[in-house]
Amino acid sequence: ETGVTQTPRHLVMGMTNKKSLKCEQHLGHNAMYWYKQSAKKPLELMFVYNFKEQTENNSVPSRFSPECPNSSHLFLHLHTLQPEDSALYLCASSPGSPEQYFGPGTRLTVT
Amino acid sequence: AQTVTQSQPEMSVQEAETVTLSCTYDTSESDYYLFWYKQPPSRQMILVIRQEAYKQQNATENRFSVNFQKAAKSFSLKISDSQLGDAAMYFCAYKSGLEDFGNEKLTFGTGTRLTIIP
């Protein structure tokens, strides 16, 4: 248990649905991240937030929309996704040291 | 851009034996960090060990140790006295030392699936 939680753990959605993934950490970390993990591919960094400000958008399609209302919470809003967006979505946080601490992920299936 | 390569998609080891997982990386930087993360079936990515490039001494955490060869850009993980709970995907990761703290970007390899044979 790293202190980073993610909900839901599993999500199945149609291509026309709108859903949101939630990440929460109460570790006092100032940076939060979204990663996408697809089978047989390295983890792909999607977004970085530092002190609630987005500092990185790694060329992610606009159907993924992040939101960071405070340093403890991070959301990923999803709409009109494609089947190839099915993956494990991991949230991480870091306290300003080089390590990142990951949540358990949300397994997303787009039908 | 930095790249991380893990050339062993799968490895297996007998319980209580020692296994070494390989990782190579490519970078033009001299200041950086290297990590090994473990991802068991529960999917939680757990930090196993960290190495600073400026340190010559290899990092050790209990049964886990690394062989860091900076000139060869090699960073292998040795697991001693393997236990059933060590079964997982193991990812090697790189972080530049040039970026500001709080804005770390990790570059990951594709992972090695480790199976422990009872």
Side-chain angles (χ1 to χ4, degrees), chain B:
Chain B
Q2 294 82 22
T3 58
V4 177
T5 302
Q6 293 179 252
S7 59
Q8 306 154 314
E10 296 183 356
M11 292 278 287
S12 60
V13 63
Q14 205 80 29
E15 192 176 3
E17 297 295 309
T18 296
V19 64
T20 299
L21 308 183
S22 301
C23 172
T24 58
Y25 57 95
D26 187 26
T27 184
S28 59
E29 299 172 342
S30 59
D31 183 20
Y32 52 87
Y33 302 86
L34 295 165
F35 306 88
W36 279 98
Y37 280 87
K38 166 186 176 181
Q39 188 178 38
S42 67
R43 307 189 315 227
Q44 186 101 40
M45 194 80 78
I46 301 164
L47 178 64
V48 174
I49 201 163
R50 154 189 164 174
Q51 175 80 43
E52 292 89 339
Y54 65 84
K55 289 188 177 178
Q56 293 187 336
Q57 187 171 6
N58 289 324
T60 299
E61 288 287 344
N62 300 314
R63 298 182 294 106
F64 298 87
S65 61
V66 299
N67 184 3
F68 173 48
Q69 301 290 326
K70 191 172 183 179
K73 297 180 182 175
S74 170
F75 183 61
S76 60
L77 175 70
K78 186 172 83 170
I79 306 174
S80 303
D81 185 25
S82 298
Q83 300 175 1
L84 295 177
D86 295 333
M89 284 289 289
Y90 285 82
F91 292 93
C92 180
Y94 171 101
K95 180 205 167 306
S96 170
L98 299 179
E99 295 164 352
D100 295 334
F101 284 142
N103 191 19
E104 297 85 7
K105 283 171 267 190
L106 292 176
T107 301
F108 285 84
T110 51
T112 297
R113 182 173 302 282
L114 179 65
T115 301
I116 311 297
I117 303 167

Side-chain angles (χ1 to χ4, degrees), chain A residues 17-45:
Chain A
N17 291 158
K18 289 185 179 181
K19 297 286 184 182
S20 296
L21 310 184
K22 179 182 177 182
C23 176
E24 187 171 354
Q25 58 92 6
H26 293 288
L27 303 169
H29 294 176
N30 51 272
M32 297 185 78
Y33 309 79
W34 280 117
Y35 287 88
K36 176 183 179 182
Q37 186 177 23
S38 304
K40 303 197 188 306
K41 293 175 67 175
L43 270 75
E44 302 171 54
L45 178 66

Side-chain angles (χ1 to χ4, degrees), chain A residues 49-85:
Chain A
Y49 277 82
N50 189 18
F51 291 106
K52 303 187 299 178
E53 299 297 321
Q54 187 180 127
T55 55
E56 181 80 16
N57 177 339
N58 203 23
S59 302
V60 179
S62 60
R63 57 186 184 270
F64 295 91
S65 175
E67 178 189 2
C68 188
N70 54 62
S71 293
S72 299
H73 294 86
L74 184 65
F75 295 89
L76 188 63
H77 303 300
L78 316 171
H79 65 98
T80 59
L81 293 191
Q82 304 298 311
E84 59 265 28
D85 296 323

